[in-house]
Amino acid sequence: MRPLILIIVLYLAGSSVALAQPVVVASIRPLQLIAAAITEGVSETFLVMDSSQDPHHPSLKPSQRRAMNQADIFIWIGPQLETGMEQIVAQLSATVLPALQISDLRIYQLNNKPDPHIWLDTDNVRLIARSLTKALIEIDRQNENQYGANLTRFHQQLDVLDEEISNTLQAPSFPPFAVYHDGYQYFEKQFSLSHRTSFTSNEEVQPGIRQVLAIKSVLDSDNVNCIVVDPSVNTENLGNQLERSNLRFISVDVLAHDIPLAGDAYLRFMNNMASNFSSCRD
């Protein structure tokens, strides 16, 4: 009986290894949402940086480092966003996907460097999802059909999403608006929007009072009453500096921290963004 028991134990142990699903870890929430669409029905995806951290200046906790070390696939934007993580990423045994290096991406410039906010363009997201699917299939042939089906469904959903966003925004009649920083340009350009002015081209640099006054002049002359801001912006203070009683501040979180994780989370994130932008019409 002992040899038979040993065979059964070894078989079960081997089966558990075979059934273990790849661990996908994303550096930021938007990439986790994209990954969730591809891994749905197979496995969960995990996040490194939560809402308490600025991806431009990551300071990783031991638990976050462990999550990265346990990854089979680690997806990040690249050092253009997650500054300072290069050495940590280089030490990983995982398959590493730097999203900004994916072929055929539409990449715009910001401050004479590649703008890293590539996930705000759904055409880019299609390419990111395809690259992730390929990486998953290479290490998990057992679920190749599921990953492929998920990718096909996600692309179809993105087609519908593009139409929904266009209908929500109605770009030809969209009112004039300003942005606090230029981090929304992928979304704006894909859906034919164009802000009148921005307070800063670098979201890490706060505008001085002279810059604010110059912006106020543009707002007045172009009759701009809507400003799209990051949730971290002190809109009360900014409103006092602008001395405009009819200003509307629209908060848009490009890092999607308020979106619950699910297979359709990226779709909801982008629909929410379109809805928030469309608040400029109210």
Side-chain angles (χ1 to χ4, degrees):
M1 291 295 291
R2 287 183 180 178
L4 178 59
I5 293 173
L6 179 60
I7 290 171
I8 293 174
V9 169
L10 291 174
Y11 173 78
L12 292 175
S15 297
S16 65
V17 171
L19 293 174
Q21 306 307 334
V23 176
V24 179
V25 178
S27 60
I28 59 172
R29 186 70 164 177
L31 293 178
Q32 185 191 26
L33 303 188
I34 297 168
I38 305 304
T39 62
E40 187 174 23
V42 180
S43 62
E44 296 182 37
T45 62
F46 300 91
L47 178 66
V48 174
M49 286 180 280
D50 57 26
S51 59
S52 67
Q53 291 178 306
D54 177 2
H56 295 287
H57 304 287
S59 178
L60 301 184
K61 305 172 186 175
S63 60
Q64 294 168 321
R65 293 286 296 269
R66 285 194 296 271
M68 292 177 66
N69 290 332
Q70 292 168 359
D72 294 300
I73 296 177
F74 178 70
I75 182 168
W76 67 319
I77 297 298
Q80 297 85 353
L81 180 70
E82 302 98 332
T83 308
M85 283 181 61
E86 301 95 314
Q87 290 185 348
I88 300 173
V89 172
Q91 296 172 5
L92 297 179
S93 60
T95 297
V96 176
L97 291 181
L100 200 57
Q101 295 181 18
I102 293 173
S103 299
D104 301 322
L105 284 180
R106 182 183 293 125
I107 298 178
Y108 299 119
Q109 298 294 303
L110 185 61
N111 301 318
N112 297 316
K113 298 177 182 178
D115 183 343
H117 300 88
I118 54 175
W119 65 89
L120 298 181
D121 183 315
T122 60
D123 289 333
N124 286 343
V125 168
R126 288 174 173 87
L127 296 174
I128 295 170
R130 184 178 295 123
S131 294
L132 177 59
T133 301
K134 180 180 178 181
L136 282 164
I137 290 173
E138 286 178 354
I139 64 175
D140 184 20
R141 294 286 179 183
Q142 177 179 328
N143 289 295
E144 178 176 359
N145 291 339
Q146 184 67 61
Y147 295 134
N150 286 350
L151 177 64
T152 298
R153 184 182 67 250
F154 188 45
H155 279 192
Q156 292 170 344
Q157 291 171 329
L158 290 174
D159 291 341
V160 174
L161 174 69
D162 288 345
E163 185 174 351
E164 290 175 345
I165 291 176
S166 294
N167 291 337
T168 297
L169 296 176
Q170 301 178 44
S173 62
F174 203 84
F177 69 101
V179 296
Y180 189 76
H181 61 69
D182 290 324
Y184 310 101
Q185 67 171 324
Y186 285 98
F187 179 83
E188 292 180 59
K189 290 180 178 179
Q190 183 180 12
F191 295 104
S192 302
L193 299 181
S194 181
H195 61 262
R196 291 292 200 273
T197 186
S198 65
F199 287 76
T200 177
S201 60
N202 187 342
E203 56 192 298
E204 299 179 72
V205 178
Q206 302 298 316
I209 187 61
R210 290 185 179 181
Q211 175 68 2
V212 171
L213 293 177
I215 296 297
K216 181 181 185 303
S217 177
V218 175
L219 300 181
D220 291 340
S221 62
D222 289 1
N223 194 30
V224 176
N225 297 318
C226 185
I227 302 175
V228 178
V229 300
D230 186 88
S232 64
V233 174
N234 186 331
T235 55
E236 182 177 358
N237 182 55
L238 185 59
N240 290 336
Q241 290 178 322
L242 293 171
E243 299 178 331
R244 289 275 302 279
S245 61
N246 60 341
L247 278 179
R248 179 183 298 110
F249 292 100
I250 306 300
S251 179
V252 174
D253 179 14
V254 297
L255 290 174
H257 288 306
D258 60 340
I259 305 296
L261 185 62
D264 65 345
Y266 177 80
L267 309 174
R268 286 186 283 115
F269 160 59
M270 289 294 281
N271 264 321
N272 283 358
M273 176 170 287
S275 179
N276 288 340
F277 264 81
S278 70
S279 298
C280 284
R281 293 183 176 279
D282 298 339

